[in-house]
Amino acid sequence: SHALGLRHRHRNLLPREPVSLYRYVELLVQIALLRKYRFRRVLETGPGTYPVFGVWPRDSYERGTIVDYNEKVLRYCQKVLAGKEIESLQLDFDGAGVLSATGRKCDLIVSNGVVEHLKNDGPHVADLYGALDEGGVLMCVTVMHEAFFNDWDRAVGHYRRYSMESLLALFGEFSEVQVI
């Protein structure tokens, strides 16, 4: 995937070039949440080559942090996000308590396409929960329909796809789970 080039026009976000409908709808959901809740401290896990801070309006959060285990990804994101004052942390978050050990709390955590890549998704989700302020929000995008797990999933490093039941169980510690 590639970064979306978006502009604000008449209160609608319009892509400058053709983009994936999936990515566009994902962005619209994110922007709606940003406008509704006015988050202060935002953490993104596993930004890859498409960090959310690259397309979010800078005035929609106070502080932003990206976390990834890959130093090259973090360097790339810093280039893409130059001038946005986004902090980078190099952490391998496939384990228990890695984010919580930093002692930071966030009111929004974004985890796009991460949990399906982790051997231990349960401890990671518990860690995300622990890194949230009370009343905080987690936006998590992942792959569904476990019956469709195939060679492509294995090739891109997925350990699983989720059913609705397994997804709800994974996030069972959260007070509210909404699946879009």
Side-chain angles (χ1 to χ4, degrees):
S1 71
H2 62 290
L4 296 174
L6 298 171
R7 60 192 155 103
H8 187 267
R9 174 189 241 163
H10 305 295
R11 298 175 53 167
N12 295 316
L13 291 173
L14 303 172
R16 290 184 191 151
E17 58 187 60
V19 296
S20 155
L21 179 60
Y22 163 79
R23 289 287 184 208
Y24 186 62
V25 169
E26 178 184 321
L27 175 67
L28 293 178
V29 169
Q30 292 169 354
I31 296 295
L33 285 170
L34 287 171
R35 287 180 179 163
K36 180 177 181 179
Y37 292 107
R38 295 290 182 203
F39 298 105
R40 294 182 337 269
R41 292 174 316 278
V42 180
L43 173 76
E44 180 179 15
T45 62
T49 58
Y50 181 69
V52 294
F53 296 109
V55 291
W56 284 2
R58 181 58 187 96
D59 63 350
S60 60
Y61 56 92
E62 286 179 21
R63 266 186 287 162
T65 303
I66 55 174
V67 179
D68 204 293
Y69 71 92
N70 188 320
E71 183 180 344
K72 288 180 182 178
V73 167
L74 293 173
R75 280 197 311 264
Y76 170 81
C77 287
Q78 284 301 319
K79 286 180 188 174
V80 170
L81 301 173
K84 291 202 173 198
E85 301 176 27
I86 303 298
E87 177 186 28
S88 296
L89 295 176
Q90 186 176 3
L91 300 170
D92 185 358
F93 45 81
D94 193 1
V98 176
L99 294 172
S100 299
T102 67
R104 298 164 189 230
K105 293 282 190 174
C106 301
D107 47 358
L108 173 63
I109 297 177
V110 178
S111 178
N112 285 345
V114 172
V115 293
E116 68 272 14
H117 289 276
L118 302 176
K119 288 181 187 177
N120 303 306
D121 59 349
H124 176 68
V125 170
D127 195 22
L128 294 173
Y129 182 84
L132 278 173
D133 276 331
E134 187 173 328
V137 173
L138 168 66
M139 281 193 257
C140 179
V141 177
T142 190
V143 289
M144 298 289 291
H145 309 294
E146 57 190 356
F148 293 156
F149 189 86
N150 59 39
D151 289 339
W152 176 83
D153 288 291
R154 284 184 277 283
V156 297
H158 293 173
Y159 285 97
R160 73 197 63 75
R161 285 177 172 252
Y162 295 91
S163 67
M164 186 64 69
E165 296 78 24
S166 64
L167 195 63
L168 292 172
L170 181 62
F171 293 95
E173 190 171 352
F174 287 78
S175 61
E176 181 182 350
V177 177
Q178 294 180 10
V179 179
I180 300 171

